Amino acid sequence: MSVSPSVSAPAPAQAAGAPRTPTQAELLDFVRRTAADAELISSLPLDPEGRTWVRLEGPGGSEAWLIGWPPGTGTGWHDHADSVGAFLTAAGELKENSLAARLPTDGWKTLELTEDVDRERRLAAGQGRSFGRHHVHEVLNESRDEHAISVHAYYPPLPQIRRYSRTGPVLRLEHVERPQDWQ
């Protein structure tokens, strides 16, 4: 794993005055435009064994990342707490498994999920999505021989990430990461 310094990426024009809170659609537009920057995408150092990332300047005070995914890597199940977000595959293909259910935000360690909550998306280069608060998912590069690269944006900047384990229908809260754990 490696962390590189922040890089400026294209930002949408803002009216004079205080910055507006970016919407999910604006975050998706930002990741789409950033992923189209071939020079930026090709500048990301790729590690054959671990994910690499560069922090970007997102719109309206959002947090953004350019992430490289070696073959066979993934995030594990997690959410982004109170942040909304968007991500888009810039190169390769990523798979997103997600839950189509709103989970309680606090006061639980183990939940049994119903059969109809699982969703799967395959996101080839140029494809992405936005999501709301408390969106639980995992992102995977299932390729055996190709790196994938993606662009992510979150607002407000990530206050925490909750990590989960999953065995069949049982989802367990394992730990909570704070910004100092990944910056």
Side-chain angles (χ1 to χ4, degrees):
M1 238 183 293
S2 69
V3 179
S4 300
S6 294
V7 173
S8 291
Q14 297 259 340
R20 269 189 337 97
T21 299
T23 65
Q24 289 179 43
E26 289 167 334
L27 293 174
L28 185 58
D29 180 59
F30 168 80
V31 298
R32 184 171 286 120
R33 285 182 296 106
T34 303
D37 183 341
E39 186 176 338
L40 176 65
I41 300 308
S42 67
S43 74
L44 180 67
L46 300 177
D47 183 319
E49 296 182 22
R51 287 190 297 153
T52 55
W53 56 85
V54 174
R55 187 164 181 169
L56 306 171
E57 297 294 325
S62 64
E63 179 173 348
W65 299 90
L66 177 63
I67 301 176
W69 306 76
T73 59
T75 60
W77 287 94
H78 67 284
D79 72 16
H80 304 99
D82 290 322
S83 297
V84 299
F87 73 101
L88 186 128
T89 305
E93 180 180 272
L94 293 170
K95 176 184 172 185
E96 180 198 34
N97 295 318
S98 63
L99 301 178
R102 175 104 184 188
L103 303 181
T105 57
D106 293 308
W108 66 276
K109 289 282 187 184
T110 304
L111 288 176
E112 187 162 345
L113 303 170
T114 61
E115 291 182 24
D116 61 343
V117 298
D118 287 300
R119 300 294 181 269
E120 177 183 308
R121 287 181 176 86
R122 295 208 174 265
L123 301 166
Q127 296 180 320
R129 68 170 314 230
S130 63
F131 53 85
R133 291 171 167 75
H134 310 291
H135 175 71
V136 177
H137 69 162
E138 68 175 346
V139 180
L140 308 160
N141 176 5
E142 294 186 322
S143 173
R144 293 182 180 191
D145 54 6
E146 286 187 45
H147 266 79
I149 298 174
S150 57
V151 180
H152 303 246
Y154 309 99
Y155 189 86
L158 296 172
Q160 65 184 15
I161 295 177
R162 290 182 286 244
R163 299 275 177 191
Y164 305 97
S165 64
R166 180 152 183 208
T167 306
V170 177
L171 187 70
R172 284 186 178 82
L173 176 62
E174 295 294 340
H175 68 279
V176 177
E177 295 176 3
R178 307 270 180 221
Q180 58 271 24
D181 298 327
W182 65 81
Q183 292 184 0

